[in-house]
Coordinates of all heavy atoms in Angstrom, one line a residue:
S286 N -17.6 -126.8 64.1 CA -17.5 -128.2 63.6 C -17.1 -129.1 64.8 O -17.5 -130.3 64.7 CB -16.4 -128.2 62.6 OG -15.1 -127.8 63.1
D287 N -16.4 -128.7 65.8 CA -16.1 -129.5 66.9 C -17.2 -129.8 67.9 O -17.1 -130.7 68.8 CB -14.9 -129.0 67.6 CG -15.1 -127.6 68.3 OD1 -16.0 -126.9 67.8 OD2 -14.3 -127.3 69.2
M288 N -18.4 -129.1 67.7 CA -19.5 -129.4 68.6 C -20.4 -130.5 68.2 O -21.2 -131.0 69.0 CB -20.4 -128.1 68.7 CG -19.7 -126.9 69.3 SD -20.6 -125.4 69.1 CE -22.0 -125.7 70.2
L289 N -20.2 -131.0 66.9 CA -21.1 -132.1 66.4 C -20.4 -133.4 66.7 O -19.2 -133.6 66.6 CB -21.2 -131.9 64.9 CG -22.0 -130.7 64.4 CD1 -22.0 -130.6 62.9 CD2 -23.4 -130.6 65.0
P290 N -21.3 -134.4 67.0 CA -20.7 -135.8 67.2 C -20.2 -136.3 65.8 O -20.8 -135.9 64.8 CB -22.0 -136.6 67.6 CG -23.1 -135.7 67.8 CD -22.7 -134.3 67.3
R291 N -19.2 -137.1 65.9 CA -18.6 -137.6 64.6 C -19.6 -138.4 63.8 O -19.5 -138.4 62.6 CB -17.4 -138.5 65.0 CG -16.2 -137.7 65.4 CD -14.9 -138.3 65.0 NE -13.8 -137.6 65.5 CZ -13.2 -136.6 64.9 NH1 -13.7 -136.2 63.7 NH2 -12.1 -136.0 65.4
R292 N -20.5 -139.0 64.5 CA -21.5 -139.9 63.7 C -22.6 -139.1 63.1 O -23.5 -139.6 62.4 CB -22.0 -141.0 64.6 CG -22.8 -140.5 65.8 CD -23.2 -141.6 66.8 NE -23.5 -141.0 68.0 CZ -24.8 -140.8 68.4 NH1 -25.8 -141.1 67.6 NH2 -25.1 -140.3 69.6
F293 N -22.7 -137.8 63.4 CA -23.8 -137.0 62.8 C -23.6 -136.9 61.3 O -22.5 -136.7 60.8 CB -23.7 -135.6 63.4 CG -25.0 -134.8 63.2 CD1 -26.1 -135.1 63.9 CD2 -25.0 -133.8 62.2 CE1 -27.3 -134.4 63.6 CE2 -26.2 -133.1 61.9 CZ -27.3 -133.4 62.7
P294 N -24.7 -137.1 60.6 CA -24.6 -137.3 59.1 C -24.2 -136.0 58.3 O -23.7 -136.2 57.2 CB -26.0 -137.7 58.7 CG -26.9 -137.3 59.8 CD -26.1 -137.3 61.0
L295 N -24.2 -134.9 58.9 CA -23.8 -133.7 58.2 C -22.8 -132.9 59.0 O -23.1 -132.4 60.1 CB -25.0 -132.8 58.0 CG -24.8 -131.5 57.1 CD1 -24.5 -132.0 55.7 CD2 -26.1 -130.7 57.1
Q296 N -21.5 -133.0 58.6 CA -20.4 -132.4 59.4 C -20.2 -131.0 58.9 O -20.5 -130.7 57.7 CB -19.1 -133.3 59.2 CG -19.2 -134.6 59.9 CD -19.4 -134.5 61.4 OE1 -18.6 -133.7 62.1 NE2 -20.3 -135.2 62.0
L297 N -19.7 -130.2 59.8 CA -19.4 -128.8 59.4 C -18.0 -128.6 58.9 O -17.1 -128.1 59.5 CB -19.6 -127.8 60.6 CG -21.1 -127.6 61.0 CD1 -21.2 -126.7 62.2 CD2 -21.8 -126.9 59.9
R298 N -17.8 -129.1 57.7 CA -16.6 -129.0 57.0 C -16.9 -128.7 55.5 O -18.0 -129.1 55.0 CB -15.7 -130.3 57.1 CG -15.3 -130.6 58.5 CD -14.2 -131.6 58.6 NE -12.9 -131.1 58.2 CZ -12.1 -130.3 58.9 NH1 -12.4 -129.8 60.0 NH2 -10.9 -129.9 58.4
T299 N -16.0 -128.0 54.8 CA -16.3 -127.6 53.5 C -16.6 -128.8 52.5 O -17.5 -128.7 51.6 CB -15.2 -126.8 52.9 OG1 -14.0 -127.5 53.0 CG2 -15.1 -125.4 53.6
N300 N -16.0 -129.9 52.8 CA -16.2 -131.1 51.9 C -17.6 -131.7 52.0 O -18.1 -132.3 51.1 CB -15.1 -132.1 52.0 CG -15.0 -132.6 53.4 OD1 -15.5 -132.1 54.4 ND2 -14.3 -133.7 53.6
S301 N -18.3 -131.5 53.2 CA -19.6 -132.0 53.3 C -20.7 -131.0 53.1 O -21.9 -131.3 53.0 CB -19.8 -132.7 54.7 OG -19.6 -131.7 55.7
M302 N -20.3 -129.7 52.9 CA -21.3 -128.6 52.7 C -21.4 -128.3 51.2 O -22.1 -127.4 50.8 CB -20.9 -127.4 53.5 CG -21.1 -127.5 54.9 SD -22.9 -127.6 55.3 CE -22.9 -127.7 57.0
G303 N -20.7 -129.0 50.3 CA -20.8 -128.8 48.9 C -22.2 -128.9 48.3 O -22.5 -128.4 47.3
V304 N -23.0 -129.6 49.0 CA -24.4 -129.7 48.6 C -25.1 -128.3 48.5 O -25.9 -128.1 47.6 CB -25.2 -130.6 49.6 CG1 -26.6 -130.3 49.7 CG2 -25.0 -132.1 49.3
F305 N -24.8 -127.5 49.4 CA -25.4 -126.1 49.4 C -24.6 -125.1 48.6 O -25.2 -124.2 48.1 CB -25.4 -125.6 50.9 CG -26.2 -126.5 51.8 CD1 -25.6 -127.2 52.8 CD2 -27.6 -126.7 51.6 CE1 -26.3 -128.1 53.6 CE2 -28.3 -127.6 52.4 CZ -27.6 -128.3 53.4
S306 N -23.3 -125.3 48.4 CA -22.5 -124.4 47.7 C -21.4 -125.2 47.0 O -20.3 -125.4 47.6 CB -21.9 -123.3 48.6 OG -21.1 -122.4 47.9
P307 N -21.5 -125.6 45.8 CA -20.6 -126.5 45.1 C -19.1 -126.0 45.0 O -18.2 -126.7 45.1 CB -21.1 -126.7 43.7 CG -22.6 -126.4 43.8 CD -22.7 -125.4 44.9
Q308 N -19.0 -124.6 44.9 CA -17.6 -124.1 44.8 C -16.9 -124.0 46.2 O -15.7 -123.8 46.2 CB -17.7 -122.6 44.3 CG -18.2 -122.6 42.9 CD -19.7 -122.4 42.8 OE1 -20.4 -122.3 43.9 NE2 -20.3 -122.5 41.6
L309 N -17.6 -124.3 47.2 CA -17.0 -124.1 48.6 C -15.9 -125.1 48.8 O -14.8 -124.6 49.2 CB -18.1 -124.4 49.6 CG -17.9 -124.0 51.0 CD1 -17.6 -122.6 51.1 CD2 -19.1 -124.4 51.9
E310 N -16.0 -126.4 48.5 CA -14.9 -127.3 48.7 C -13.8 -127.0 47.7 O -12.6 -127.2 48.1 CB -15.4 -128.7 48.4 CG -14.4 -129.8 48.8 CD -14.9 -131.2 48.5 OE1 -16.0 -131.4 48.0 OE2 -14.1 -132.1 48.9
E311 N -14.1 -126.5 46.6 CA -13.0 -126.2 45.6 C -12.2 -125.0 46.1 O -10.9 -125.1 46.0 CB -13.7 -125.8 44.3 CG -12.8 -125.7 43.1 CD -13.6 -125.4 41.8 OE1 -14.5 -126.3 41.5 OE2 -13.5 -124.4 41.3
R312 N -12.8 -124.0 46.6 CA -12.1 -122.8 47.1 C -11.4 -123.0 48.5 O -10.3 -122.5 48.7 CB -13.1 -121.7 47.3 CG -13.3 -120.9 46.1 CD -14.1 -119.7 46.5 NE -14.0 -118.7 45.5 CZ -14.7 -117.6 45.4 NH1 -15.6 -117.4 46.3 NH2 -14.6 -116.8 44.4
Y313 N -12.0 -123.8 49.3 CA -11.5 -124.0 50.7 C -11.5 -125.5 51.0 O -12.4 -126.0 51.7 CB -12.3 -123.2 51.7 CG -12.5 -121.8 51.5 CD1 -13.6 -121.3 50.9 CD2 -11.4 -120.9 51.8 CE1 -13.8 -119.9 50.6 CE2 -11.6 -119.5 51.5 CZ -12.8 -119.1 50.9 OH -12.9 -117.7 50.7
P314 N -10.6 -126.3 50.5 CA -10.6 -127.7 50.6 C -10.5 -128.2 52.1 O -9.6 -127.8 52.8 CB -9.4 -128.3 49.8 CG -8.7 -127.1 49.3 CD -9.4 -125.8 49.7
D315 N -11.5 -129.0 52.5 CA -11.5 -129.6 53.8 C -11.2 -128.6 55.0 O -10.4 -129.0 55.9 CB -10.6 -130.8 53.9 CG -11.0 -131.8 55.0 OD1 -12.2 -131.8 55.4 OD2 -10.1 -132.4 55.6
Q316 N -11.9 -127.5 55.0 CA -11.7 -126.5 56.1 C -12.9 -126.7 57.1 O -14.0 -127.0 56.7 CB -11.7 -125.1 55.6 CG -10.4 -124.8 54.7 CD -9.2 -124.8 55.6 OE1 -9.1 -124.2 56.6 NE2 -8.2 -125.6 55.1
P317 N -12.7 -126.4 58.4 CA -13.8 -126.4 59.3 C -14.7 -125.2 59.0 O -14.3 -124.2 58.4 CB -13.1 -126.2 60.7 CG -11.8 -125.6 60.4 CD -11.4 -126.0 59.0
M318 N -16.0 -125.3 59.5 CA -17.0 -124.3 59.3 C -17.7 -124.0 60.6 O -17.6 -124.7 61.5 CB -18.0 -124.7 58.2 CG -17.3 -124.9 56.8 SD -18.6 -125.3 55.6 CE -19.3 -123.7 55.4
E319 N -18.4 -122.9 60.5 CA -19.2 -122.5 61.7 C -20.6 -122.1 61.1 O -20.7 -121.6 60.0 CB -18.6 -121.2 62.3 CG -18.7 -121.2 63.8 CD -17.9 -120.0 64.3 OE1 -18.4 -118.9 64.1 OE2 -16.9 -120.2 64.9
L320 N -21.6 -122.4 61.9 CA -23.0 -122.2 61.4 C -23.7 -121.3 62.5 O -23.6 -121.6 63.7 CB -23.7 -123.5 61.3 CG -25.0 -123.6 60.5 CD1 -24.8 -123.2 59.1 CD2 -25.5 -125.0 60.5
H321 N -24.3 -120.2 62.0 CA -25.0 -119.3 62.9 C -26.5 -119.5 62.5 O -26.9 -119.3 61.4 CB -24.6 -117.9 62.7 CG -23.2 -117.6 63.1 ND1 -22.6 -116.4 63.2 CD2 -22.1 -118.5 63.3 CE1 -21.4 -116.4 63.6 NE2 -21.0 -117.7 63.6
L322 N -27.3 -120.0 63.5 CA -28.7 -120.2 63.3 C -29.5 -119.3 64.1 O -29.2 -118.9 65.2 CB -29.0 -121.7 63.7 CG -28.2 -122.8 63.1 CD1 -28.5 -124.1 63.9 CD2 -28.6 -123.0 61.7
W323 N -30.7 -118.9 63.5 CA -31.6 -118.0 64.3 C -33.0 -118.1 63.7 O -33.2 -118.4 62.5 CB -31.1 -116.6 64.3 CG -31.2 -115.9 63.0 CD1 -32.2 -115.1 62.5 CD2 -30.1 -115.8 62.0 NE1 -31.8 -114.6 61.2 CE2 -30.6 -115.1 60.9 CE3 -28.9 -116.4 61.9 CZ2 -29.8 -114.8 59.8 CZ3 -28.1 -116.2 60.8 CH2 -28.6 -115.4 59.7
A324 N -34.0 -117.9 64.5 CA -35.4 -117.9 64.1 C -35.7 -116.5 63.6 O -35.4 -115.5 64.2 CB -36.3 -118.2 65.2
R325 N -36.3 -116.4 62.3 CA -36.6 -115.1 61.8 C -38.0 -114.6 62.3 O -38.2 -113.4 62.3 CB -36.7 -115.2 60.2 CG -35.4 -115.5 59.6 CD -35.4 -115.3 58.1 NE -36.7 -115.7 57.4 CZ -37.0 -116.9 57.0 NH1 -36.2 -117.9 57.1 NH2 -38.1 -117.1 56.4
Q326 N -38.8 -115.5 62.7 CA -40.1 -115.2 63.3 C -40.4 -116.1 64.4 O -39.7 -117.2 64.5 CB -41.2 -115.3 62.3 CG -41.2 -114.3 61.2 CD -42.3 -114.4 60.2 OE1 -43.3 -115.1 60.5 NE2 -42.2 -113.8 59.0

C-alpha cells in the first residue's frame, strides 16, 4: 500500500478493495493490503 501515490484512484486498503470482495472491509476494517501480480502466459 505504501508504494502507490496518494492520488492513485485505487488504494491498497481494505476499504477501497470492497469492490472485489464486499466482506473484506467488514472483516478487516481499513487495513493495508499487498498485491502480488504475475503474467500467466
Side-chain angles (χ1 to χ4, degrees):
S286 59
D287 60 338
M288 293 171 72
L289 296 177
R291 289 213 183 271
R292 62 187 165 95
F293 194 76
L295 188 63
Q296 291 297 312
L297 285 177
R298 297 199 67 80
T299 53
N300 56 345
S301 60
M302 289 291 181
V304 151
F305 303 111
S306 179
Q308 296 87 8
L309 195 58
E310 186 180 7
E311 192 176 297
R312 277 190 159 165
Y313 306 101
D315 199 32
Q316 292 294 309
M318 297 185 71
E319 221 175 68
L320 198 58
H321 296 193
L322 304 168
W323 67 93
R325 295 189 327 271
Q326 293 181 15

